[in-house]
Structures are given as C-alpha cells and as structure tokens.
C-alpha cells in the first residue's frame, strides 16, 4: 500500500502522505469511501487512527468548500494599515503601535488573502489546505506581537475572529 491520499475536487487537488503510520488505507464501497484499519492497537494508537480520519475529512472539505480565516485588526490608538500586494500573496502591515517598521508576511503556497468588503479592519485568508491556511493566519498574527510592554494593557494586534469552511 502506498498510504498516499490524493483528493481532487472543484477547488483543486490535495495530496497527503501517511507512510510514517502503521495503518492500512483502502477504498471501499466501490470507491466511495476511504477506510483506515489498524491491528492490535492500544488507545494511543487508536487516537492516531482517528487523527488520520480527520486529516482525510479535512482534505475532502478543502477541495469541496475551501477554508476561510477572518482576522480583525485591533488597535487602541495607532490605526494598523494592512496592504495586500503580490496578487493576494503578501500582506504588509504598517503603523503597528506607531512603529515605522513595515511587517511583510508572505502567504504559504495555495493561500490567498484579501481585505473584507463589508467589514472595516478585517482581512480574510482563504485556501484549500487547512494546514497551510491556518499557518498563514498564524504568521500574520505572530508578526504583530507586542514586545516589552504589558500585554494585558496593550491588546493591539491582528487576531483570528472566526474560521471555518466557505459555504458556496
């Protein structure tokens, strides 16, 4: 068995490798479902099996619906200015806490970012792969961390306000 799961749908195709796990993957029900098997497993190994099933479900959701992370720009005094460049591949964050430094965050491959049309100070990160999409959102969030100040008082930054699948 190859243990490589490749899923394709209307938003593209995704591939995931499970070669490092002692499981058995096969197609059942005339190719309409993926089944995962593991023999003589203790509870820790069974949790690994459940994780594999969740990863495969995430692949299906990604190619059918796409994942979306909505992020809000939060500031008390100095308004954070977000500029999307490179066709949705890069975010430039300016004026964070009044600093002159421009924070440039490159999105991971297959992830796009755009400004929200309806809401002020909101950016939307979308992509088919849940791992790459969530990691891109995390990179944006980590770029605007408050250093050398009381983080209970200085709550400025870019935070994920909601995440899930895009419903078409």
């Amino acid at each position: 068995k190859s243990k490589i799961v490749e899923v394709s749908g209307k938003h593209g195709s995704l591939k995931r490798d499970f070669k490092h796990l002692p499981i058995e993957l096969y197609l059942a029900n005339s190719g309409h479902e993926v089944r995962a098997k593991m023999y003589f497993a203790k509870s820790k190994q069974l949790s690994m099996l459940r994780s594999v099933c969740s990863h495969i479900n995430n692949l299906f959701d990604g190619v059918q619906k796409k994942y979306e992370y909505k992020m809000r720009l939060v500031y008390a005094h100095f308004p954070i200015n977000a500029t999307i460049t490179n066709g949705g591949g890069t975010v430039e964050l300016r004026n964070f806490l009044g600093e002159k430094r421009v924070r440039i965050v490159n999105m991971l491959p297959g992830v796009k970012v755009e400004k929200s049309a309806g809401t002020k100070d909101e950016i939307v990160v979308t992509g088919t792969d849940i791992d790459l999409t969530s990691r891109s959102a995390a990179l944006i969030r980590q770029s605007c961390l408050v250093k050398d100040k009381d983080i209970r008082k200085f709550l400025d930054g870019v935070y994920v306000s909601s995440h899930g699948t895009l419903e078409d």
Side-chain angles (χ1 to χ4, degrees):
K1 298 276 187 229
S2 68
K3 294 186 195 173
I4 295 176
V5 178
E6 191 163 355
V7 178
S8 56
K10 65 178 179 181
H11 291 298
S13 65
L14 292 174
K15 197 181 209 175
R16 187 105 191 210
D17 190 357
F18 297 109
K19 282 185 179 171
H20 61 287
L21 301 173
I23 58 166
E24 195 175 291
L25 291 170
Y26 60 96
L27 286 172
N29 202 354
S30 66
H32 287 290
E33 50 185 53
V34 179
R35 291 212 175 146
K37 237 189 223 180
M38 182 183 279
Y39 295 103
F40 308 113
K42 304 267 191 303
S43 63
K44 282 274 169 78
Q45 286 91 9
L46 285 174
S47 66
M48 178 179 62
L49 189 66
R50 177 77 178 163
S51 295
V52 169
C53 294
S54 296
H55 287 316
I56 293 171
N57 280 336
N58 287 341
L59 292 179
F60 280 118
D61 283 349
V63 295
Q64 287 171 351
K65 301 175 197 164
K66 269 194 166 178
Y67 285 99
E68 170 186 68
Y69 280 72
K70 290 185 176 176
M71 305 185 78
R72 296 297 299 262
L73 307 171
V74 178
Y75 50 85
H77 186 273
F78 294 103
I80 302 171
N81 181 359
T83 313
I84 282 100
T85 57
N86 204 0
T90 307
V91 183
E92 293 178 357
L93 297 158
R94 288 185 170 81
N95 202 28
F96 173 69
L97 291 179
E99 296 174 3
K100 292 292 178 204
R101 184 174 160 244
V102 178
R103 291 164 167 78
I104 298 171
V105 183
N106 294 315
M107 296 294 102
L108 295 166
V111 180
K112 289 275 173 264
V113 62
E114 68 248 358
K115 281 195 171 184
S116 177
T119 318
K120 179 181 175 280
D121 291 332
E122 184 176 68
I123 55 178
V124 181
V125 182
T126 55
T128 53
D129 191 341
I130 189 171
D131 291 332
L132 296 177
T133 310
S134 59
R135 275 174 54 208
S136 296
L139 287 172
I140 294 172
R141 168 152 160 38
Q142 288 173 348
S143 70
C144 286
L145 293 178
V146 179
K147 305 284 187 196
D148 303 326
K149 291 180 177 63
D150 187 355
I151 57 170
R152 297 169 297 181
K153 179 71 177 161
F154 291 86
L155 299 170
D156 297 27
V158 185
Y159 297 102
V160 174
S161 59
S162 69
H163 63 89
T165 56
L166 270 172
E167 298 300 329
D168 295 332

